[in-house]
Amino acid sequence: MTTKISKNISILVVLLLLGLAIVGCKPVNGAQPDKNEVKTEEKEVASEEKPKVIIDKAESKSHLTVTGESTKSIKPSIAYLNLGITTNAEDLKDAQKDNTTKMNALLKAIKDNGIADADIQTSSYNMYPQYDHETYSKIVGYNVQHIINVTVRDMEKAGAIMDIAVDNGANSSHSMTFGITDEERENIYVEAMKDAIEKGQIKAQALADGMKIKIKGPVEVVEGSRGFSPLPSYDMNMKQAEESSTSFMPGELKVNATVTLIYEY
């Protein structure tokens, strides 16, 4: 009996030890992973190939920038006259009436000599009181001034029109300036721009030869601002008795063009 109990106890002890051995071989829930396993994962991540940045040398280009300039001259084809009539009277209405009569005569005279209505424009119409020269507190009369701008499209007539205006009452604000038509201005500017481009190309090639490089292009052309050198105005006084007609020297109008050329090399 005692021997049988001892045998059973021995079997239970063996089973208990076997169970403990089995439990020790399995990781408990929430237990930290083996350090050797962690190191292995880190090595696998580190061994992954990183993306490489490839620089396309074709996109990295150098540029050569030059500026070409040109100036063209052209004779003016239009004259602009500034004419005025000034009248004085003690009564404002009388001064206005006198001014109107003289201006109508002036306008008729220049129109009869080929000036169109579209080429005549009132620049200003002013009325001023005149005061006595002693106290400057009393009005002794009135001054009326009517100024017009006249466009003369035939340069040969410009002096004659000025004389006609003076003969028909123009007695103030006499001046003459010169210009060209919009079409002439555009055409001469295009010529100047073409010349500026050619000069810019010559300059770019000279620089490239000096730098021992080969240029491509131009890859870009940028138009600069236009430039027009104004002609001087001429103040025209009352026609001299000994002169048959007013003379003038219109000179030439200067038109400038600038372009910027960009080359690759």
Side-chain angles (χ1 to χ4, degrees):
M1 182 69 178
T2 302
T3 304
K4 186 176 183 180
I5 293 173
S6 298
K7 188 181 293 187
N8 289 336
I9 292 172
S10 299
I11 293 172
L12 289 174
V13 171
V14 172
L15 291 174
L16 180 61
L17 293 175
L18 182 61
L20 291 174
I22 293 173
V23 172
C25 294
K26 294 183 179 180
V28 181
N29 291 338
Q32 294 295 327
D34 187 31
K35 291 183 179 180
N36 293 329
E37 294 178 0
V38 174
K39 290 182 179 180
T40 302
E41 292 179 0
E42 289 178 351
K43 290 181 180 179
E44 291 178 354
V45 172
S47 64
E48 292 181 2
E49 185 178 359
K50 295 181 179 179
K52 294 181 180 180
V53 179
I54 301 175
I55 299 176
D56 186 0
K57 293 183 179 180
E59 294 181 359
S60 179
K61 299 176 181 178
S62 298
H63 293 87
L64 174 67
T65 303
V66 296
T67 300
E69 299 180 14
S70 178
T71 300
K72 295 291 183 180
S73 300
I74 184 172
K75 292 183 177 180
S77 59
I78 299 176
Y80 300 99
L81 310 185
N82 185 259
L83 308 170
I85 292 179
T86 300
T87 54
N88 300 284
E90 292 183 1
D91 185 76
L92 177 58
K93 290 185 178 180
D94 290 340
Q96 286 180 302
K97 183 178 179 179
D98 186 22
N99 192 285
T100 299
T101 299
K102 291 181 178 179
M103 180 56 72
N104 287 339
L106 187 154
L107 293 173
K108 183 178 184 305
I110 61 177
K111 288 180 183 179
D112 289 344
N113 282 271
I115 304 301
D117 288 343
D119 290 329
I120 303 172
Q121 183 181 36
T122 293
S123 173
S124 64
Y125 186 88
N126 303 300
M127 297 176 288
Y128 305 100
Q130 294 179 312
Y131 296 90
D132 70 284
H133 296 292
E134 294 181 0
T135 63
Y136 294 97
S137 60
K138 181 181 178 180
I139 296 176
V140 296
Y142 292 90
N143 176 290
V144 176
Q145 185 182 60
H146 189 175
I147 300 175
I148 61 173
N149 292 327
V150 180
T151 301
V152 182
R153 301 186 183 278
D154 185 350
M155 288 291 292
E156 295 182 357
K157 288 185 176 181
I161 295 298
M162 177 65 75
D163 293 338
I164 291 170
V166 172
D167 289 339
N168 286 271
N171 59 4
S172 64
S173 187
H174 300 150
S175 66
M176 181 185 297
T177 56
F178 307 99
I180 55 178
T181 65
D182 291 340
E183 183 178 0
E184 289 173 330
R185 188 184 299 270
E186 189 64 27
N187 290 338
I188 194 68
Y189 174 71
V190 170
E191 290 183 19
M193 186 168 58
K194 289 179 179 179
D195 189 40
I197 292 174
E198 291 180 3
K199 290 181 178 179
Q201 290 174 329
I202 293 173
K203 186 186 295 185
Q205 191 59 57
L207 288 171
D209 293 342
M211 297 170 63
K212 308 298 182 182
I213 59 174
K214 185 176 181 180
I215 57 177
K216 299 178 181 179
V219 295
E220 186 176 356
V221 179
V222 181
E223 179 185 6
S225 58
R226 303 185 181 196
F228 300 97
S229 301
L231 291 168
S233 61
Y234 291 82
D235 292 328
M236 314 298 290
N237 297 319
M238 297 293 289
K239 183 177 66 173
Q240 299 290 334
E242 64 274 10
E243 292 180 351
S244 59
S245 62
T246 302
S247 59
F248 54 87
M249 299 295 292
E252 292 184 332
L253 179 66
K254 305 293 183 181
V255 180
N256 306 317
T258 303
V259 295
T260 299
L261 307 177
I262 301 175
Y263 294 81
E264 288 183 352
Y265 68 90

